[in-house]
């Protein structure tokens, strides 16, 4: 067997280069069947088919035990699986021999184009028909059942109103109501029940079960009830039965009229006459239905297509009012259902041609099917004729792909035809000549990616490793770039034992240039903070130095604040950056001192910068909360383009102002990311949270 499979998998070079040669050593059809049938999947398929045939014949003659029914299903799945494996093996091993010739490929393509769409259309039509059948059947059956329910409810309400008029004649009212309806529904039952425990005050015929002695509390609370119950059948307690029950209160709200209509054979006959549907079986374990006996076989068979379906309704448990699911096996042959639905509309047509609506529909389908088969046969014949007239140079294209696969990008395909194959060969030649360039581009991209990763590592080294440790203030920070290298920058500078400076900046643009400007900004601020303590003065000096180095298209927004825990003051200046939020006594305040961006290289920009820059000073006290952020937080957008906004950030900070700084940071980040959802981040997101605490241990 191994030698045989090895022979099939090996094809000589002359066979590949000359497939039309009469000496080509291609495997024959007998080789295919021999290899497939003697493989493990082939033997398993043969055995499964034999066992399945035996069990199918036996199933038509006798009722199979449960274990044999289970064996039949397992064997069916085994046969399907083995057949699928054989198809995959055959397609993998023999596709070169079966599909080498272009003519065979074309014929097979015509089959796929003509037959496969037909199969898909038929499958779609069958699926759509099944869904339509299930929907229509469920609606028609449910509508008929709702009519019965409405009729029972009307009986209960009429009897309750009549009892309210003549309170002492409840039995007479029940008898009169029962006599009026018993001719249509012989098993209908009526009773008048009080709110207290005891027996019914008066009752009609209750043959299906004992009349209710009391009205449950849940019905009294609702004042009335109409719905479906599931009870055992009197003659066969193991079989469930549907009972339509309606409860309507008398005007004094002390007595209730209970009407039961068991869905028996008479009711089912009327339902079938009205809707063309009937009940084959029910299942409602949540509503007190008896469990089916052990080993009971499921109803229905493979031949129940367009004959049976399942309708899902609700049912109620009388004891406690709990609602459950009622599964009903609805028997509705499609012919009978269609005739019922079209009985009114098709009366004139049937009188004119002597045929029913369903017969006309079936004859029309048969005529369309025959016409479709004729069209498909003509298309297949024309496809075969066209395949014989096509010549190509596919083999030359195959050799070219082999040479390119081996790395010979200088090889060119010779195609003299001026059709689509010639265009394909020309495109292939251009592609092979550009592969080397694409490889070079890929290597260059890899180098740039490596440089960006290095730049990101450098940028991370510029940011604080951890928040500062200082008694009396708790600090929490967060920074997440939108790309490999971001433009947001924040830092902390301890100016003294009780003084802390905080910087929050955003460099215009992204990428490597932003990282370089960030490094320059860090060095300048680190040097200036040693001598300049005023935030306003520091920003003026920083603007003067940066304007000489930034290009015309770049600028920096920045907020710089000094937190003096000794003097209990907060001093801040803002150069075009986002405001900062200060929460005092649980109320947030947005602080936005005037100022313009840093580094603008425009005439008079330096003087204008110093003129408009403002410095804000305010007292601080224990419990105050200070939040600095970049526009990546407040301008984060969801998939609809809506921004998170300053007000939303203030609300989040205010709602969680009692938490520590780290917890507030986590709440803000979580709410922003939940708002953005699956949208792509468009800007870096940086956040610093400061909480003023009484003098004590340092926090970070």
């Amino acid at each position: 067997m191994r030698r045989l499979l090895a022979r099939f998998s090996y094809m000589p070079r002359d066979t590949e280069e000359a497939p039309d040669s009469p000496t080509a050593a291609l495997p024959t059809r007998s080789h295919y069947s021999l290899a497939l049938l003697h493989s493990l999947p082939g033997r398993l398929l043969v055995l499964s088919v034999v066992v399945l045939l035996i069990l199918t014949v036996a199933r038509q003659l006798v009722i199979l035990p449960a274990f044999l029914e289970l064996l039949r299903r397992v064997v069916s799945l085994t046969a399907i699986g083995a057949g699928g494996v054989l198809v995959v093996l055959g397609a993998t091993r023999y596709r070169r021999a079966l599909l080498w010739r272009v003519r065979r490929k074309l014929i097979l393509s015509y089959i796929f184009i003509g037959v496969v769409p037909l199969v898909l259309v038929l499958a779609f039509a069958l699926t759509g028909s099944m869904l339509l059948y299930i929907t229509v059947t469920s609606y028609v059956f449910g509508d008929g059942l709702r009519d019965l329910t409405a009729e029972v409810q009307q009986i209960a309400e009429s009897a309750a109103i009549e009892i309210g008029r003549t309170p002492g004649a409840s039995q007479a009212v029940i008898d009169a109501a029962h006599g009026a309806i018993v001719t249509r529904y012989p098993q209908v039952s009526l009773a008048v029940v009080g709110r207290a425990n005891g027996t019914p005050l008066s009752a009609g015929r209750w043959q299906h079960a004992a009349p209710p002695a009391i009205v449950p509390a849940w019905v009294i609370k609702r004042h009335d009830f109409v719905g479906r119950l599931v009870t055992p059948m009197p003659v066969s307690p193991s079989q469930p039965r549907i009972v339509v029950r309606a409860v309507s209160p008398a005007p004094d709200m002390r007595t209730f009229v209970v009407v039961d209509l068991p869905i028996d054979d008479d009711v089912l006959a009327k339902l079938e006459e009205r809707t063309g549907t009937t009940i084959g079986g029910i299942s409602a374990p949540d509503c007190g239905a008896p469990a089916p006996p052990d080993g009971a076989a499921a109803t229905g068979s493979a031949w129940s297509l367009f004959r049976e379906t399942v309708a899902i309704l609700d049912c109620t448990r009388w004891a406690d009012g709990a609602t459950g699911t009622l599964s009903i096996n609805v028997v509705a042959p499609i012919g009978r259902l269609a005739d019922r639905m079209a009985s009114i509309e098709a009366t004139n047509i049937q009188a004119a041609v002597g045929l029913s609506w369903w017969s006309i529909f079936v004859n029309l389908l048969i005529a369309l099917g025959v016409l479709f088969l004729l069209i498909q046969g003509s298309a297949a014949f024309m496809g075969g004729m066209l395949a014989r007239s096509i010549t190509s140079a596919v083999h030359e294209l195959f050799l070219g792909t082999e040479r390119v696969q081996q790395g010979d990008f200088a090889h060119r395909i010779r195609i003299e035809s001026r059709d689509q194959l010639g265009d394909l060969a020309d495109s292939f030649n251009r592609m092979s000549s550009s592969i080397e360039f694409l490889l070079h581009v890929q290597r260059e991209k890899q180098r740039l990616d490596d440089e960006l990763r290095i730049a990101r590592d450098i940028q991370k080294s510029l940011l604080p490793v951890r928040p500062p440790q200082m008694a009396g203030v708790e600090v929490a920070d967060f920074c997440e770039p939108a790309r490999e290298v971001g433009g947001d920058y924040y830092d902390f500078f301890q100016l003294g034992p009780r003084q802390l400076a905080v910087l929050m900046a955003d460099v215009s643009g992204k990428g490597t240039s932003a990282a370089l400007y960030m490094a320059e900004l860090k060095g300048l601020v680190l040097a200036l903070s040693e001598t300049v303590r005023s935030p306003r003065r520091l920003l003026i000096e920083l603007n003067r130095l940066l304007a000489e180095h930034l290009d015309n298209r770049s600028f920096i927004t920045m907020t710089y604040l000094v937190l003096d825990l000794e003097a209990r003051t907060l001093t801040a200046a803002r150069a075009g950056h986002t405001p900062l939020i200060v929460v005092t006594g649980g109320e947030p305040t947005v602080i936005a001192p005037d100022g313009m961006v840093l580094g603008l290289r425009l005439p008079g920009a330096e003087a204008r910068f110093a003129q408009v820059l403002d410095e804000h000073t305010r007292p601080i006290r224990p419990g105050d909360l200070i939040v600095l952020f970049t526009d990546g937080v407040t301008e984060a957008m969801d998939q609809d383009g809506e921004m998170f906004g300053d007000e939303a950030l203030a609300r989040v900070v205010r709602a969680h102002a009692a938490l520590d700084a780290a917890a507030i940071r986590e709440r803000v980040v979580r709410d922003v990311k939940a708002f953005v959802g699956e949208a792509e981040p468009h800007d870096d997101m940086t956040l610093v949270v400061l909480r003023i605490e009484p003098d004590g241990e340092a926090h970070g």
Side-chain angles (χ1 to χ4, degrees), residues 169-223:
S170 59
Q171 184 64 49
V173 172
I174 291 299
D175 292 339
H178 186 272
I181 196 65
V182 72
T183 55
R184 282 186 294 166
Y185 304 113
Q187 293 295 324
V188 69
S189 304
L190 291 86
V192 179
V193 182
R195 300 179 61 162
N197 294 337
T199 59
L201 302 179
S202 56
R205 294 176 54 189
W206 283 79
Q207 298 181 1
H208 65 283
I214 61 172
V215 176
W218 64 270
V219 177
I220 298 175
K221 185 177 180 180
R222 291 174 47 177
H223 302 303

Side-chain angles (χ1 to χ4, degrees), residues 74-405:
V74 172
V75 170
S76 301
L77 294 177
T78 303
I80 294 174
V85 172
L86 285 179
V87 170
V88 173
L89 288 177
T92 303
R93 294 181 181 179
Y94 309 126
R95 68 171 182 265
R96 183 183 297 273
L98 293 175
L99 301 177
W100 179 258
R101 297 179 184 270
V102 178
R103 183 181 302 173
R104 294 176 183 172
K105 292 183 180 180
L106 290 174
I107 294 176
L108 186 60
S109 67
Y110 290 135
I111 293 175
F112 281 125
I113 293 174
V115 177
V116 173
L118 174 61
V119 174
L120 293 178
V121 168
L122 292 178
F124 179 78
L126 181 62
T127 304
S129 300
M130 276 297 301
L131 293 176
L132 180 61
Y133 167 76
I134 293 173
T135 303
V136 172
T137 302
S138 300
Y139 173 78
V140 172
F141 174 78
D143 189 62
L145 203 57
R146 282 190 293 270
D147 290 344
L148 291 177
T149 304
E151 196 169 354
V152 173
Q153 184 180 13
Q154 184 179 4
I155 296 172
E157 292 175 351
S158 300
I161 294 173
E162 190 65 27
I163 289 175
R165 295 174 181 173
T166 56
S170 59
Q171 184 64 49
V173 172
I174 291 299
D175 292 339
H178 186 272
I181 196 65
V182 72
T183 55
R184 282 186 294 166
Y185 304 113
Q187 293 295 324
V188 69
S189 304
L190 291 86
V192 179
V193 182
R195 300 179 61 162
N197 294 337
T199 59
L201 302 179
S202 56
R205 294 176 54 189
W206 283 79
Q207 298 181 1
H208 65 283
I214 61 172
V215 176
W218 64 270
V219 177
I220 298 175
K221 185 177 180 180
R222 291 174 47 177
H223 302 303
D224 61 359
F225 167 74
V226 59
R228 291 169 287 274
L229 310 180
V230 180
T231 61
M233 296 183 67
V235 297
S236 180
S238 63
Q239 299 295 328
R241 179 172 62 176
I242 304 174
V243 176
V244 178
R245 174 169 293 182
V247 181
S248 182
D252 60 0
M253 296 302 293
R254 293 181 175 274
T255 58
F256 293 80
V257 176
V258 181
V259 180
D260 271 15
L261 178 61
I263 306 300
D264 56 3
D265 293 339
D266 293 335
V267 177
L268 289 178
K270 291 181 174 60
L271 184 65
E272 182 177 5
E273 181 180 359
R274 184 184 304 173
T275 64
T277 63
T278 186
I279 297 177
I282 66 173
S283 173
D286 297 337
C287 297
D294 296 338
T299 59
S301 64
W303 304 102
S304 61
L305 190 65
F306 295 108
R307 292 183 55 85
E308 299 180 12
T309 185
V310 176
I312 305 298
L313 303 175
D314 59 331
C315 56
T316 305
R317 198 162 51 202
W318 178 252
D320 54 8
T323 302
T325 301
L326 174 61
S327 300
I328 303 177
N329 183 26
V330 181
V331 180
I334 186 171
R336 185 173 63 191
L337 182 65
D339 286 338
R340 286 285 186 269
M341 293 181 60
S343 58
I344 299 177
E345 292 81 356
T347 302
N348 296 332
I349 299 177
Q350 186 172 356
V353 301
L355 295 174
S356 66
W357 178 88
W358 180 248
S359 299
I360 296 174
F361 180 72
V362 170
N363 293 332
L364 181 60
L365 284 181
I366 293 175
L368 291 177
V370 172
L371 180 61
F372 202 84
L373 290 177
L374 291 176
I375 295 175
Q376 286 293 319
S378 301
F381 176 77
M382 295 300 296
M385 296 297 295
L386 182 61
R388 294 175 61 89
S389 64
I390 294 178
T391 58
S392 64
V394 179
H395 179 62
E396 188 72 21
L397 181 62
F398 167 75
L399 291 179
T401 57
E402 290 289 329
R403 297 287 292 274
V404 171
Q405 184 179 4

Side-chain angles (χ1 to χ4, degrees), residues 441-594:
V441 171
Q442 182 182 11
R443 289 192 294 268
E444 185 67 19
K445 182 179 181 300
Q446 183 64 39
R447 185 184 64 81
L448 294 176
D449 290 342
D450 294 339
E451 291 182 358
L452 284 177
R453 279 193 292 269
I454 296 173
R456 183 172 186 177
D457 294 338
I458 296 175
Q459 183 189 29
K460 285 184 178 179
S461 67
L462 299 175
L463 298 177
V465 178
R466 63 181 62 88
Q469 305 286 326
M470 178 177 289
V473 61
E474 182 184 2
V475 184
D477 56 355
F478 175 82
C479 183
E480 184 177 273
R483 299 180 184 175
E484 287 81 0
V485 180
D488 285 1
Y489 170 59
Y490 72 100
D491 214 337
F492 307 98
F493 305 95
Q494 190 163 352
L495 306 180
R498 304 284 289 166
Q499 290 82 32
L500 178 67
V502 183
L503 180 151
M504 179 72 68
D506 187 357
V507 181
S508 63
K510 301 292 181 290
T512 308
S513 61
L516 295 177
Y517 289 141
M518 184 187 305
E520 183 178 4
L521 177 64
K522 180 180 179 69
L524 292 175
V525 175
L526 188 61
L528 291 174
S529 64
E530 295 291 332
T531 58
V532 181
R533 297 303 176 92
S534 168
R536 180 177 182 276
R537 188 60 193 166
L538 184 142
L539 290 180
I540 292 174
E541 291 296 325
L542 189 61
N543 177 67
R544 181 180 62 82
L545 296 173
L546 285 175
E548 300 176 358
H549 299 89
L550 295 184
D551 58 44
N552 295 329
R553 296 174 297 176
S554 299
F555 60 89
I556 299 175
T557 67
M558 178 175 167
T559 295
Y560 185 80
L561 66 86
V562 176
L563 194 64
D564 192 338
L565 300 179
E566 194 71 36
R568 291 291 178 180
T569 59
L570 167 66
T571 305
R574 185 178 68 101
H577 197 68
T578 55
L580 59 125
I581 299 176
V582 178
V583 180
T584 302
E587 292 298 326
T589 302
V590 177
I591 299 177
D594 293 336

